[in-house]
Amino acid sequence: QVQLVESGGGLVQAGGSLRLSCAASGLTFSNYGMGWFRQAPGKEREFVAAISLSGGITSYADSAKGRFTISRDNAKNTVSLQMNSLKPEDTAVYYCAAGRYSTAVLVDRYQYWGQGTQVTVSS
């Protein structure tokens, strides 16, 4: 049974930082591209960042470029999202996802999803 468990969300002031982590189990982690998505109330789930199987290639949404960094540790089966210079518009539930495509940006390219972790940025 595949499980993706996110952690690290919380409440932070604008300009602050958070580091999200996602622990994967039940799959051969190094065979999967990993991504982070977010969903704000009343909005569709949107792509944030993705990383290739080996970690050598990354992709970011325009809103995340220069502020967020995705990384993975295949030895520990984890993927992380370092978020700096947070803005109120970054407030959302953040999800990690695993899929067979590398650095995919579309929701339907990912097979497995975590339950999400809430990030709230106050102004």
Side-chain angles (χ1 to χ4, degrees):
Q1 180 182 356
V2 176
Q3 281 194 313
L4 302 177
V5 180
E6 302 96 336
S7 61
L11 173 64
V12 64
Q13 289 188 331
S17 299
L18 282 175
R19 185 175 180 85
L20 306 183
S21 294
C22 173
S25 60
L27 76 171
T28 304
F29 185 72
S30 58
N31 287 351
Y32 286 81
M34 298 299 296
W36 284 97
F37 289 75
R38 68 187 184 187
Q39 188 166 17
K43 295 188 176 181
E44 292 188 352
R45 193 167 297 188
E46 65 176 8
F47 170 74
V48 176
I51 190 165
S52 63
L53 279 64
S54 66
I57 301 172
T58 57
S59 177
Y60 295 93
D62 287 344
S63 59
K65 286 178 182 177
R67 300 188 300 128
F68 294 3
T69 303
I70 188 171
S71 60
R72 67 187 293 163
D73 186 336
N74 285 350
K76 296 182 178 180
N77 288 5
T78 59
V79 60
S80 299
L81 185 68
Q82 177 67 43
M83 304 188 295
N84 299 328
S85 302
L86 284 162
K87 305 174 182 179
E89 51 263 43
D90 294 317
T91 295
V93 177
Y94 283 70
Y95 299 89
C96 77
R100 288 291 193 167
Y101 296 86
S102 181
T103 61
V105 303
L106 299 178
V107 169
D108 63 5
R109 291 293 188 264
Y110 290 86
Q111 295 171 259
Y112 303 109
W113 293 83
Q115 294 294 331
T117 186
Q118 176 71 46
V119 171
T120 303
V121 184
S122 63
S123 57

